[in-house]
Amino acid sequence: MLDGLRQRLDAVGLPFRALLLSDALMLLAMMVARVAVPWWIVHEGGAGHLALYAVVQAVVAFVSMPLLSPLGDRYSKRLLITLGLLIFAAEGAVMATLATLGIYHLWLVIVLEALPVIAMSLILPASLSIAADLVPAERFADALALQKSAQAFGRLIGPVLGGTALAVSGTAAALWLHWVMVLAAAMLAWRIPSIARHPGAGGAKRWWRDLRAGLRATWSIPIERGRIAISFLVMVCFTPAVGMLVPLKVQSLGLSGAWLGACEAALSLGMLAGALGVAAWLADYLGRYRAAIGGIMLEGLALALAGFTNNPYLLVICYAVTGVGLAMVMLVGQTHRMLAIPEDFRARIVAVSMMVMQIAGTLGPGLAGIALTSIPVREVYVVFGLAEFVFAFGYFLVPRYREFLALGHEEVRGWYGRQFPGAFRRAESDSDLPMSGKS
C-alpha cells in the first residue's frame, strides 16, 4: 500500500506535492479553529449566539463566494491561495490575542471570523480547480484522490489537536496553534508554480461579465441545474448537522471539549478512509450512480442516529460513517464534474455551485436555530438527518445523471462542452459584449 502511494505521489510531480502539504496544513488549521471557536461561543453565549454566528458566516460566504471566485479563472491560483491564507493568519492572530486576554464579544467574534470566510472564497475555487493545471489529464483522478486524502488527513488530525489543546490549555492555546499552522500552509502554497493568467482589460465590468457567464452556463446545463437544486435541499440539512448542532449535541450530553474534537476527528477519519480506497471500492461495487446517491442516504441515516443516541461512543461512530458517505459523494461526482467542465469555466461553475450551497448554509442553521427555541437538540438533529435521507431520492430525477456518471474519465473530459456547446458559447458571448444594453 505504501509503495502504491509513493508511486502515485511520484507520478503527480513535486509542484502538486507542495499543494498537498499546503492543503493538509490548511485543513489542520481550519479544523482546530472549527473546534475552538464554536466551543468558546457555546460556553460564553449559548445556543443563541452559536446560531447567530453560523447564520452570519453563511451569509458572508454567500456574498463573497460569487464576488471573488471568478478571479480563479483570470489570476494566478498560487497568488489567490497564498493571499487567502495570509488573511487567515492575520485574523487568527487577533482571535488568539482576544482569547488570551479573556475578551469575548459576539459581534466582534463574528466580524473577525468573517475574514476567513472571505479568504476561503479566494482559496476554494482556486484549490478545487488547480489540480487540472498541475497534472496531466491521465493523472487527474489520482491527483484529486490524493488531494482529498491530504485534506481528509488535515480534517482528521486537526480536531484531535484542537480538542486536546482545549482540554489541556483552553481556547487561547488552540487558537495560537491554528495561527502557526496557517502560516506554514501559506509558505508551502507559495511554492506551487504560478500558472500564467491573462486578466485582460475591463476591471470591474470584466469581472461582472465573468460572473454572469458562469451563472448562465450553469443554468443552461440540465445536469448541473438539476444536481444543484437537489444538492441545495440536501445541504440545508447537512450543514447544521455537521456544524452548529455538533457542539450543542456534545454539550447536551455533558461531555468535554475533547469529545467535540473526537466527533470532528471521526468525521475526518471516515473521509480519509473513503479517500484512501473505500469510496473507490464502493463505486466499483455499486456503480458510480448508486454510490453517489447512496453516499448521501448513508450520511442522512448516520446523522439521524447521531442525534438520537445518548452513547458518546456510538455518536463518534456515526460521524465516522458520515465521513465515509461524504467521501463517496465527493470523489465519485467531483472528478467527473471537473473533467467535464471546459478549463476556462472551471472556477466560475464551481463558484456558482458553492454560492447555492452557501444559501443552503445560511438557511439550514437559521432553521435549526428557530427549531432549537422550542425543540430539544436531539429531536432537531433526528429531523435534519432523516430529511437529508429523503431529499437524496431527488437525484434519481436529475436528467442524464446516470449516463454522465457511467462515463470513463477519458470519455468525460470536456463532455459538457461537447454535449451543451450552446451553454458556453452564449456565456462567452455575453461575457464579451459591453455592459450597455444588457439587462
Side-chain angles (χ1 to χ4, degrees):
M1 181 176 178
L2 289 177
D3 288 340
L5 178 60
R6 189 180 299 112
Q7 290 173 1
R8 292 166 72 191
L9 286 170
D10 290 341
V12 297
L14 185 61
F16 193 77
R17 294 201 292 271
L19 173 67
L20 294 179
L21 288 173
S22 178
D23 271 4
L25 277 173
M26 179 180 70
L27 267 296
L28 268 169
M30 285 178 58
M31 295 308 297
V32 168
R34 180 169 170 168
V35 170
V37 174
W39 193 251
W40 191 24
I41 293 172
V42 164
H43 280 270
E44 294 289 341
H49 278 204
L50 186 61
L52 181 58
Y53 164 81
V55 169
V56 173
Q57 298 301 95
V59 169
V60 172
F62 165 62
V63 173
S64 64
M65 189 64 70
L67 293 182
L68 298 178
S69 56
L71 301 178
D73 286 325
R74 310 196 67 78
Y75 295 92
S76 165
K77 292 175 182 178
R78 178 188 71 172
L79 175 62
L80 295 176
I81 293 171
T82 306
L83 177 61
L85 288 170
L86 290 176
I87 294 172
F88 254 107
E91 181 272 343
V94 176
M95 283 288 290
T97 301
L98 291 177
T100 301
L101 298 175
I103 300 172
Y104 172 83
H105 187 281
L106 176 62
W107 282 105
L108 179 59
V109 171
I110 285 175
V111 170
L112 286 171
E113 284 295 295
L115 293 176
V117 176
I118 294 171
M120 288 307 295
S121 299
L122 292 172
I123 294 170
L124 275 180
S127 178
L128 288 173
S129 57
I130 196 172
D133 295 339
L134 297 178
V135 298
E138 63 272 14
R139 294 291 179 185
F140 182 71
D142 280 344
L144 192 59
L146 287 169
Q147 187 179 25
K148 294 304 177 187
S149 299
Q151 292 171 350
F153 176 80
R155 288 181 181 275
L156 171 63
I157 304 301
V160 175
L161 293 177
T164 301
L166 282 177
V168 175
S169 303
T171 302
L175 290 176
W176 282 118
L177 178 63
H178 159 78
W179 175 71
V180 170
M181 289 188 293
V182 168
L183 278 181
M187 288 187 286
L188 282 166
W190 191 247
R191 297 180 60 186
I192 301 169
S194 181
I195 307 299
R197 298 280 164 180
H198 303 286
K205 290 182 178 180
R206 180 69 194 188
W207 160 82
W208 170 245
R209 293 195 293 271
D210 281 347
L211 175 60
R212 188 163 54 184
L215 288 166
R216 184 183 293 275
T218 301
W219 181 255
S220 300
I221 301 171
I223 294 176
E224 282 293 295
R225 190 168 65 235
R227 188 197 63 81
I228 287 175
I230 304 303
S231 296
F232 171 82
L233 297 174
V234 168
M235 289 300 291
V236 166
C237 305
F238 182 78
T239 302
V242 297
M244 62 172 288
L245 291 177
V246 182
L248 293 175
K249 176 67 179 182
V250 172
Q251 186 190 47
S252 72
L253 297 179
L255 302 173
S256 70
W259 279 100
L260 175 59
C263 291
E264 295 285 1
L267 179 68
S268 303
L269 180 61
M271 292 178 64
L272 181 60
L276 290 177
V278 174
W281 178 81
L282 287 171
D284 289 339
Y285 181 74
L286 299 172
R288 291 194 190 99
Y289 181 65
R290 284 182 289 180
I293 299 174
I296 296 175
M297 293 178 175
L298 183 65
E299 289 173 11
L301 292 176
L303 290 171
L305 181 57
F308 179 78
T309 186
N310 291 324
N311 185 315
Y313 295 100
L314 181 56
L315 181 67
V316 170
I317 292 172
C318 288
Y319 288 118
V321 173
T322 300
V324 173
L326 183 57
M328 289 169 63
V329 176
M330 294 174 67
L331 290 174
V332 170
Q334 187 177 348
T335 303
H336 264 47
R337 286 186 67 234
M338 293 303 298
L339 287 172
I341 300 169
E343 183 178 349
D344 56 339
F345 268 80
R346 281 180 183 142
R348 281 177 274 186
I349 289 183
V350 168
V352 171
S353 179
M354 288 181 178
M355 179 184 68
V356 176
M357 296 309 105
Q358 292 301 339
I359 299 175
T362 304
L363 183 59
L367 292 174
I370 293 171
L372 287 168
T373 60
S374 56
I375 304 173
V377 64
R378 181 183 186 185
E379 282 76 7
V380 173
Y381 221 138
V382 171
V383 168
F384 273 71
L386 292 178
E388 179 181 349
F389 172 77
V390 171
F391 287 142
F393 285 91
Y395 285 101
F396 290 114
L397 304 177
V398 176
R400 302 185 69 181
Y401 196 43
R402 182 191 293 270
E403 173 192 352
F404 174 64
L405 290 179
L407 298 170
H409 289 316
E410 287 303 319
E411 294 175 290
V412 81
R413 188 170 184 84
W415 192 77
Y416 280 177
R418 294 193 300 273
Q419 295 294 316
F420 312 103
F424 300 101
R425 282 200 298 266
R426 287 193 298 271
E428 282 292 8
S429 175
D430 187 37
S431 170
D432 291 335
L433 288 172
M435 292 291 290
S436 58
K438 299 288 292 180
S439 56

